Amino acid sequence: MDKKPEIINENITLFQKDKSLSFGTDAYLLSAYIKSNSKKACEFGAGTGVISLLCLAKEKIKSSLLVEIQESLSEISKSNAIENGFNDKVEVLCKDLREIPKEYNESFDTVLTNPPYMKMTSGKLNDDSSNLMCRHEVNGDISDFAKNASRLLKFGGMFYVVYRPDRLSELLFACEKNNLHVKRMTLVYPTTEHVPCIVLISAKKGASDGMITTKPLIMYKDKSNMSDSGFTDDLKYIYEHGDFPKEYR
C-alpha cells in the first residue's frame, strides 16, 4: 500500500495500491446507480472496496461482503473499511468468486460489480499482473459473474453492473441465462458528439419481463471542456447527491 490515502466523494479516505488502477468515474457512477435500502450486499471484484464504502456512507446498504481474489487488494480493502469506520459492516473474502462457499447462497439482497471488461484475446495485456486481472477476464467472464450473482441473491434481489457498451449483448445474455432480468439500463456518453463509453444496468432475480431504458447520461456539455467545470447538470447532481436524478430511477 504505497500510495498516500486520498479523500474522495462522501468524505471517504481511500488507500490504494501503488501502480494499481485508480478510483474512477465508472465506479462512482455504479455506486450512485444503486438504489437504497439493501440490508446485505456483496461486491464481486471489490478491489479497494470503494464502491461498497460509498454505498455504506450514503446508507444505501447496511453491510457488504467484499469478494476479491488478489490478497494485496483484499488487505487494502480491510484497511479502508477500518479507516472509514465500517469495519463492523464489512466482511472481506479473498477468493475467486466462482469458489464462494455455498453457505452464502441466496443470502444477499444486492450484488454489485465493476468487472473486468476485456477478453484475453483483445486489447494490450498489462505487464502488471494485478492490473491485468482488473482489466482482463483472467478469473472468469461476465457469464461467471452473472451465474454467481444469481446463486448468491435472494429471490427478488438486485444485480448492478457497470460495463462496456460494445459488450452489452453479452451482458444481457448472461443475465437472462441466469434468471436475472434487466429492469433498468442507462447509456453514458462523454458528450453528445461521442458514442457511449459506459453502460449501467440493474437486473432483478426472478422478475417478469419488462425493461426501462432511461434517457442517456451526458457527462460534459462540450468536448472542448471535459473537466469538472464542464459537467452537465445531471452529472453535477450525481456528484453532489451520490444518486441519479429521479428521471433515471
Side-chain angles (χ1 to χ4, degrees), residues 103-197:
E103 66 191 70
Y104 291 100
N105 287 1
E106 299 184 354
S107 59
F108 294 93
D109 305 293
T110 299
V111 172
L112 54 126
T113 186
N114 178 10
Y117 51 79
M118 299 184 73
K119 296 180 180 180
M120 288 297 292
T121 54
S122 67
K124 181 181 178 181
L125 299 182
N126 200 299
D127 293 333
D128 183 277
S129 60
S130 177
N131 286 344
L132 175 65
M133 285 190 278
C134 291
R135 289 187 185 276
H136 285 77
E137 295 172 334
V138 178
N139 299 292
D141 57 19
I142 193 60
S143 180
D144 293 308
F145 278 72
K147 178 180 179 180
N148 286 280
S150 185
R151 174 168 71 89
L152 267 60
L153 283 170
K154 299 175 182 177
F155 184 84
M158 300 300 298
F159 182 43
Y160 291 92
V161 187
V162 57
Y163 209 53
R164 279 173 48 136
D166 62 345
R167 299 193 65 190
L168 177 57
S169 61
E170 295 169 71
L171 172 60
L172 296 179
F173 179 76
C175 287
E176 290 296 320
K177 180 181 177 182
N178 290 285
N179 196 26
L180 298 169
H181 302 285
V182 178
K183 306 304 293 180
R184 182 172 53 128
M185 180 174 73
T186 301
L187 286 164
V188 181
Y189 296 74
T191 73
T192 56
E193 298 181 56
H194 287 84
V195 297
C197 57

Side-chain angles (χ1 to χ4, degrees), residues 15-52:
F15 291 98
Q16 298 185 80
K17 184 180 177 182
D18 188 35
K19 297 181 181 180
S20 68
L21 301 181
S22 299
F23 164 62
T25 302
D26 50 355
Y28 187 74
L29 289 179
L30 180 61
S31 72
Y33 204 65
I34 293 167
K35 292 186 177 180
S36 301
N37 302 320
S38 173
K39 292 181 180 178
K40 194 174 181 182
C42 177
E43 182 178 352
F44 288 168
T48 61
V50 62
I51 302 175
S52 288

Side-chain angles (χ1 to χ4, degrees), residues 42-47 64-71 73-75 77-78 90-104 108 151-152:
C42 177
E43 182 178 352
F44 288 168
S64 189
L65 172 68
L66 308 184
V67 181
E68 171 54 53
I69 195 170
Q70 298 186 58
E71 185 175 356
L73 290 176
S74 293
E75 292 303 315
S77 66
K78 290 178 184 177
V90 169
E91 177 186 357
V92 179
L93 183 64
C94 185
K95 191 171 285 291
D96 188 314
L97 65 92
R98 296 167 293 187
E99 299 174 357
I100 297 172
K102 292 181 179 179
E103 66 191 70
Y104 291 100
F108 294 93
R151 174 168 71 89
L152 267 60

